[in-house]
Amino acid sequence: MAAAPGAFHVPPATLVRIAATRQRPHDIDLLHAALHSRRLVLFKALLARVGREDLAPAARAAFDRDWRLLERAESPTPAAARRLLDYPAVGGWIVDALNAPGPDGLTAALHPLGGIAVGTALRTGARLGTVLPTAGGRLVLPGIGVHDARASHVRIRTGPHGTLLTPVGHPARSVLLRPDGRGAGAGWASLAVLPGSAGRLDDLGTGHTAPPDVSDAPDVRPRPERAAWLGRWRAAVTLLQAADPWRAAEVTGLVRSLVPMEPAGEGASSRTLRAAPWAVHTALPDTARRFAEVLVHELAHSKLAVLTDLVALHHADGSAVHHVAWREDPRPFDGVLQGTYAHLALADLWSRVAERPGAGPAARRAARARREEYRAQVADALPILLNSHQLNEHGERFTVSMGQHLTSLGGGPGSPYALSDSLSGDGDVR
C-alpha cells in the first residue's frame, strides 16, 4: 500500500471555523486527508502486528494472500481505492484487529481483509482472480453488500466491467456485480443508497466487519423496515434543506453510512465510533425533526474525532468526574468537549430554523425554545472546559471560538450566554 503522508498542519483559522461548526470545503478536505493518512498508518500497524505474532502457518498464508490482493486492488487507481479504504466500517475493523487478544483472536479478526480487497478491486477495476473463505457461508463486502453464498469458499474474478462471485460447489448462486456495487444473482443484497447522497444504509450487518457468529448470522435480506429508514432519512434531509441548506449539504456530503441500532431503553439511542468517523449509528428516530437532530449531532462528533486525531486539544486523562446538563452520569473531560461541540451544532441549527424566511410564529417559537435549550447546555459546559487547566493552546483557541459562536447565537454581548472576561447526548462518542 502507498505510504502515509507526512504530518498535517491545522491553520488557526481552520480551527476557529470548525469550532463554530460551519467550516469551509477546504477545511473538510484537510480532515479527509488526515483521516486517510491515519487509515494507512493503521494498516501499517496491522501489518507490523501480524509480523510479530506467532500465527499458525495457514493463518499467515491467508493474511499474505489477502494483503497482496489489497495491494493489487489499490494500484490501478488509488483515488478510487481511497473511497473504499476510508469507509467507516473498515476503520472499525482495523482497530478491532489491532486489539484482538493473542494469535487466535487476531486470526479470527483478520478474516474480513479479503472482502475489503475485493470491494476495493470493484471500485478500481483491478483484475483479481482468487478463492476466498466465507464466514458462515456469507461473504461481506463492506460498503457494498453481502453475498449469501451458502458455501465455504467463493471464487472471485474482478475486472474493469465488474466482479463475478461464484460459490464453490454452488455455481447456480453466482453473482455478477457492477462497478457501482449493484448486483444480480441468488443471495446477493446491496446496501441501499441514502437518497440525495453517496452514503449507504448499512442495514445488512456490514457496518461492523468482524466475522459474524455462524449460529447467529443475520439474514442478508434487507431489513423489513428499510423503506422506513430511507423515507425518514429523506424527510430529515428535506427538513434541513428547507431550514438550513448549508447544514443539509454537510449531512448529505459527509455521512458515509447509517447503521441501524436496536433501541437502548434509557441508554443512548445514537453514537459515533472514533475508529469509524462519518458513520451514524442510531435507532430509528420517530420523527424527521428528531432524525435531523441525530444526524447533525453525530456528524459533529465525527468532525471532532477526526480533528483530534490530527491535533490534540487537551491533556486530560479519562477520569469521569465532570457533570453536565445533558447527562446524569459523570463524564470524562473529552466527553464534555465532545458533547459541548455537538450541542453547539444543534443550537446553531435551531437558530437558523428559527430565523428562516417564511416560518410562522408557532414554528419560530418552537425553534427558539429548542435553541435556548441547547444554548443553555453549552453555556453550562464551557466554564468546565475553560477553567479546567486541561486545554492546550489549540484546545483553548477551539473552546473560546465555541464560546464566541454561542454568543453570536445569543444576540450579542448582552446575551446571558456571552463568555465572561474572567474565563481563560443524548448521543455518545466511543
Side-chain angles (χ1 to χ4, degrees):
M1 300 179 70
F8 291 86
H9 170 66
V10 181
T14 292
L15 202 63
V16 168
R17 285 191 295 267
I18 294 176
T21 79
R22 287 184 176 262
Q23 66 290 324
R24 295 178 181 173
H26 61 269
D27 300 326
I28 288 296
D29 290 342
L30 177 64
L31 295 185
H32 284 324
L35 174 64
H36 185 63
S37 177
R38 177 168 173 76
R39 191 62 49 87
L40 295 181
V41 168
L42 289 174
F43 268 113
K44 297 296 186 183
L46 180 60
L47 182 62
R49 185 186 170 187
V50 170
R52 294 192 304 269
E53 286 285 358
D54 184 23
L55 297 182
R60 187 171 299 280
F63 175 80
D64 290 343
R65 174 203 63 210
D66 294 344
W67 187 268
R68 288 194 300 270
L69 287 174
L70 183 58
E71 289 184 319
R72 287 165 52 196
E74 180 194 25
S75 60
T77 50
R82 173 173 170 171
R83 182 75 178 168
L84 191 286
L85 297 178
D86 291 352
Y87 189 71
V90 174
W93 164 72
I94 301 174
V95 171
D96 282 348
L98 287 171
N99 292 329
D104 291 343
L106 178 59
T107 296
L110 291 175
H111 183 276
L113 182 58
I116 292 170
V118 172
T120 302
L122 184 66
R123 298 303 192 202
T124 64
R127 294 186 180 276
L128 300 181
T130 190
V131 176
L132 291 179
T134 64
R138 303 165 74 242
L139 181 67
V140 174
L141 305 186
I144 299 170
V146 180
H147 184 203
D148 180 15
R150 300 184 185 177
S152 61
H153 290 77
V154 175
R155 188 176 305 280
I156 296 161
R157 294 195 179 279
T158 70
H161 304 297
T163 297
L164 180 64
L165 310 177
T166 305
V168 175
H170 298 273
R173 297 187 69 79
S174 295
V175 173
L176 180 62
L177 300 181
R178 293 170 42 172
D180 63 5
R182 288 185 289 179
W188 173 255
S190 297
L191 300 185
V193 176
L194 295 171
S197 82
R200 297 291 187 270
L201 176 62
D202 214 328
D203 61 345
L204 300 176
T206 77
H208 190 279
T209 56
D213 182 336
V214 175
S215 64
D216 192 33
D219 197 323
V220 303
R221 292 174 296 179
R223 291 186 176 207
E225 62 269 27
R226 173 177 277 195
W229 278 93
L230 296 177
R232 202 149 298 164
W233 160 275
R234 186 183 290 106
V237 170
T238 298
L239 185 154
L240 288 171
Q241 287 170 336
D244 189 348
W246 186 95
R247 194 68 71 181
E250 180 187 57
V251 166
T252 56
L254 292 183
V255 173
R256 292 289 309 280
S257 70
L258 182 63
V259 184
M261 289 172 51
E262 294 300 324
E266 297 299 321
S269 58
S270 65
R271 67 178 182 176
T272 293
L273 303 180
R274 285 187 180 276
W278 315 131
V280 174
H281 296 245
T282 181
L284 180 62
D286 55 359
T287 65
R289 189 192 79 168
R290 179 63 188 141
F291 206 165
E293 284 196 325
V294 167
L295 293 171
V296 171
H297 183 110
E298 297 304 333
L299 195 55
H301 283 317
S302 278
K303 287 192 291 185
L304 191 51
V306 178
L307 178 69
T308 53
D309 272 342
L310 183 57
V311 55
L313 300 180
H314 64 82
H315 45 78
D317 61 22
S319 302
V321 297
H322 302 286
H323 292 273
V324 290
W326 59 87
R327 292 281 293 251
E328 294 184 359
D329 53 327
R331 306 297 292 150
F333 185 86
D334 193 67
V336 178
L337 179 62
Q338 283 276 353
T340 303
Y341 184 62
H343 286 80
L344 179 62
L346 289 171
D348 178 277
L349 169 67
W350 286 108
S351 181
R352 309 282 171 154
V353 173
E355 305 307 323
R356 73 191 188 280
R364 288 190 191 280
R365 284 194 299 271
R368 286 169 180 162
R370 294 295 284 168
R371 178 187 65 188
E372 294 308 302
E373 179 182 349
Y374 289 121
R375 281 168 55 200
Q377 291 173 348
V378 174
D380 182 71
L382 281 172
I384 297 174
L385 299 173
L386 288 165
N387 292 328
S388 67
H389 306 294
Q390 299 296 317
L391 296 169
N392 60 23
E393 177 185 358
H394 300 298
E396 185 163 342
R397 178 180 290 114
F398 186 89
T399 305
V400 167
S401 297
M402 284 198 294
Q404 291 170 339
H405 190 58
L406 180 71
T407 299
S408 74
L409 300 178
S415 164
Y417 305 118
L419 284 179
S420 165
D421 291 339
S422 67
L423 293 178
S424 46
D426 57 24
D428 201 3
V429 61
R430 302 180 183 182

